[in-house]
Amino acid sequence: KQEVTQIPAALSVPEGENLVLNCSFTDSAIYNLQWFRQDPGKGLTSLLLIQSSQREQTSGRLNASLDKSSGRSTLYIAASQPGDSATYLCAPGMDSSYKLIFGSGTRLLVRP
Amino acid sequence: NAGVTQTPKFRILKIGQSMTLQCAQDMNHNYMYWYRQDPGMGLKLIYYSVGAGITDKGEVPNGYNVSRSTTEDFPLRLELAAPSQTSVYFCASSSEETQYFGPGTRLLVL
């Protein structure tokens, strides 16, 4: 059974810092891995999707890496801004149905 | 494109009542999913569908039922509501890999 752990559970940083969010998963037989952002009381917004054959994906100030064999992914946020404050969720996609198994998330606060 | 829509936004149910949470998507996606999110936790998969007429159980299917008679709609049925079903319910759809989520339905069972 796939289990996903995200560390840290919460993070508070001053504006402008670069930061790394960590995700680990127990079953390396994944199809892909997605990173999502969730604002309080809102739905999820997909940030990045990494195919199982890829090592990383970049979008603007965000960079996600994947090491499938060791069961790890990281989300790197450069030059953080207060608008980045949200909960970030990691979710490996399992089998051809692409169903996702979620971690509990990292709650990020970027202080002005 | 409205994307993924969910109704209602919020509902209070009494223990033992039943209700259907509606989900619709206008992106012609084959894959649709229902998740629940308890406070401070990640999402857990309830049911999913890979196309009209095909559904399958996820991690936490007990107490729920689904149907998929059309590509667009994927309703979630709660029979005999219990306090443990108090949660926020999210519907999602995808064409292949990236999943798009609806705004959620907040359900309170008292």
Side-chain angles (χ1 to χ4, degrees), chain A residues 1-2 31-32 34 36 38 41-46 49-51 89 95-105, chain B residues 31 33 35 37 40-45 48 50 57-59 90 94-104 106:
Chain A
K1 180 188 172 189
Q2 178 74 278
Y31 267 53
N32 57 36
Q34 279 189 252
F36 292 89
Q38 185 176 30
K42 304 289 187 182
L44 279 69
T45 301
S46 179
L49 181 146
I50 313 176
Q51 304 285 355
L89 294 157
D95 67 49
S96 57
S97 71
Y98 307 114
K99 56 181 181 275
L100 299 175
I101 305 298
F102 282 85
S104 297
Chain B
Y31 301 91
Y33 313 85
Y35 298 90
Q37 185 177 33
M41 305 295 289
L43 283 71
K44 291 194 181 298
L45 181 66
Y48 66 99
V50 300
K57 296 178 181 179
E59 301 171 90
F90 290 101
S94 70
S95 57
E96 286 192 356
E97 300 199 46
T98 300
Q99 289 194 18
Y100 299 90
F101 281 76
R106 188 174 300 271

